[in-house]
Amino acid sequence: MPLARATHLTRRGLLAAGGALGLGAALAACGDDQGKDSGTGAKGGKSGPWSFKDDRGTTVKLDKVPANIVAFTGVGAALYDYGIQVKGVFGPTRTTAGKPDVQAGDMDISKVTVLGNAWGQFSIEKYASLAPDVLITTMFDDAGTLWYVPEESKKKIAQLAPSVGISVYDRQLTQPLQRMWDLAESLGADMKAAKATDAKKRFEAAAARLRAAAKAKPGLKVMAGSASDQLFYVSGTNLSVDLEYFKALGVNFVEPPESAKKQGGGWYESLSWENVDKYRADIIMMDDRSSAIQPADITKATWKKLPAVKAGQVIPRSPEPILSYDKCVPLLTRLAEALEKAEKVG
């Protein structure tokens, strides 16, 4: 699916993707701030007062740069790429085999405290034990809902530390990428380091390559899909940061009608496996998250008969991109390569 399992979306409306705890640390001042600064924390590892205005319009202010950071796994992975180590994570972190989940990126998961590895899991006790300075996650709606923070315990969680939300809702990939860059810089990351600047240059080059590939083969249709045991989900480009960006670069996507996406909160259309051939596609991008069935494990005969599948024109897609330039380069590159090599089969 384009966001999360269908149950997620039900629990979160549009996403239809303990009081006994001691509150030892005083909360920092937190409120709406209409100032110009989007992040005015310590630079280059320096200490001092820290503030950051998130995508809810809320400015978090602390007396010093946060040291005890807890983040959604993918956010922790992005910050890690910029040299910022978080203490705790929540969200898909370990696979059932004990290996790092795809959303953990290059993080050494043995060095972080995992508060919860699946939807609805968030240990408030473990969270409190970390003495968190700030919680950072993404937002997949326009209501400021913090991704993977359980609705039923969000008030208790909010009492322990202020939060920062980075929106990945209804905007192109480059916007949250820049916001994560700004956040990392405010936390003390060296954004002039070769690792950071080179990754940004590689991203820009990969974007140019994808634009050229799309322009060279405008007739190729790309479908973004996700597989579950009972249903196949087709994403529209609207709302998703990666697909909106790819479309802006000229990629020609299959677009389910709005009427068909109502049950998916506007994100996707649900199809039975008998109807998986509803749309003609030359390339299929498949959800790479551990919550989705991967192409090699799909046994449905209707799937195997799809022209793109028979032609070997199926590639991974990351519906929840790790928001560092380094991790987003492959997203652009593999789609560009697929377009360059693909034949018209749909």
Side-chain angles (χ1 to χ4, degrees):
M1 285 173 54
L3 245 330
R5 310 305 297 168
T7 52
H8 297 193
L9 295 167
T10 299
R11 294 176 195 172
R12 288 263 171 123
L14 251 185
L15 287 181
L21 288 173
L23 306 183
L27 294 182
C30 180
D32 290 334
D33 189 335
Q34 301 303 317
K36 297 179 181 178
D37 293 335
S38 61
T40 55
K43 308 290 193 294
K46 296 179 181 179
S47 60
W50 180 83
S51 69
F52 188 84
K53 186 174 182 179
D54 76 359
D55 291 336
R56 297 170 296 184
T58 297
T59 299
V60 176
K61 297 179 180 180
L62 298 174
D63 291 337
K64 60 180 181 179
V65 177
N68 297 344
I69 301 170
V70 174
F72 173 69
T73 301
V75 171
L79 292 175
Y80 181 87
D81 284 350
Y82 293 129
I84 303 296
Q85 176 69 55
V86 303
K87 293 195 72 173
V89 295
F90 54 95
T93 307
R94 294 190 182 96
T95 66
T96 53
K99 296 181 179 180
D101 188 273
V102 65
Q103 294 193 64
D106 292 333
M107 276 195 305
D108 183 345
I109 62 174
S110 69
K111 293 183 178 180
V112 294
T113 298
V114 181
L115 308 182
N117 198 61
W119 185 264
Q121 296 179 359
F122 192 111
S123 172
I124 300 177
E125 290 78 8
K126 285 184 179 180
Y127 183 51
S129 74
L130 295 175
D133 294 321
V134 67
L135 178 149
I136 308 172
T137 187
T138 48
M139 301 182 297
F140 280 91
D141 62 17
D142 58 0
T145 306
L146 299 177
W147 190 233
Y148 265 77
V149 173
E151 185 70 20
E152 60 274 16
S153 54
K154 67 179 184 180
K155 291 183 179 179
K156 292 180 181 179
I157 293 169
Q159 286 179 299
L160 291 165
S163 60
V164 167
I166 300 297
S167 180
V168 288
Y169 176 75
D170 195 17
R171 60 200 63 203
Q172 294 181 25
L173 180 60
T174 46
Q175 187 172 345
L177 270 174
Q178 184 60 51
R179 295 292 285 138
M180 193 63 69
W181 176 286
D182 294 339
L183 176 60
E185 186 174 31
S186 80
L187 293 168
D190 181 5
M191 310 314 286
K192 294 182 180 179
K195 182 179 179 181
T197 57
D198 288 352
K200 196 169 187 178
K201 289 177 183 177
R202 286 188 290 109
F203 177 88
E204 292 166 352
R209 178 181 177 182
L210 179 54
R211 187 189 297 275
K215 185 176 182 179
K217 295 184 177 179
L220 292 183
K221 276 279 189 181
V222 179
M223 180 168 68
S226 184
S228 71
D229 184 55
Q230 298 297 322
L231 296 169
F232 183 84
Y233 307 95
V234 179
S235 294
T237 57
N238 188 32
L239 306 181
S240 297
V241 290
D242 62 329
L243 301 184
E244 285 199 16
Y245 184 52
F246 300 156
K247 182 179 180 179
L249 292 175
V251 179
N252 187 9
F253 281 97
V254 166
E255 297 282 6
E258 292 303 314
S259 59
K261 295 191 294 181
K262 284 185 178 179
Q263 288 187 330
W267 294 86
Y268 60 87
E269 177 182 5
S270 304
L271 298 175
S272 68
W273 282 102
E274 289 75 18
N275 295 317
V276 73
D277 60 352
K278 178 178 179 179
Y279 298 106
R280 300 174 67 86
D282 304 295
I283 297 170
I284 303 176
M285 303 175 69
M286 290 295 290
D287 187 342
D288 68 356
R289 293 172 298 176
S290 54
S291 58
I293 299 175
Q294 297 306 300
D297 299 319
I298 299 175
T299 58
K300 308 291 185 181
T302 49
W303 163 261
K304 294 181 179 181
K305 291 179 181 178
L306 293 177
V309 175
K310 293 171 69 174
Q313 295 176 179
V314 178
I315 63 172
R317 176 199 169 209
S318 299
E320 294 181 58
I322 294 173
L323 297 172
S324 72
Y325 286 102
D326 179 72
K327 292 301 179 292
C328 287
V329 169
L331 313 187
L332 299 169
T333 301
R334 65 193 178 203
L335 181 53
E337 289 179 345
L339 287 168
E340 290 164 356
K341 297 176 181 178
E343 299 295 333
K344 185 70 178 174
V345 296

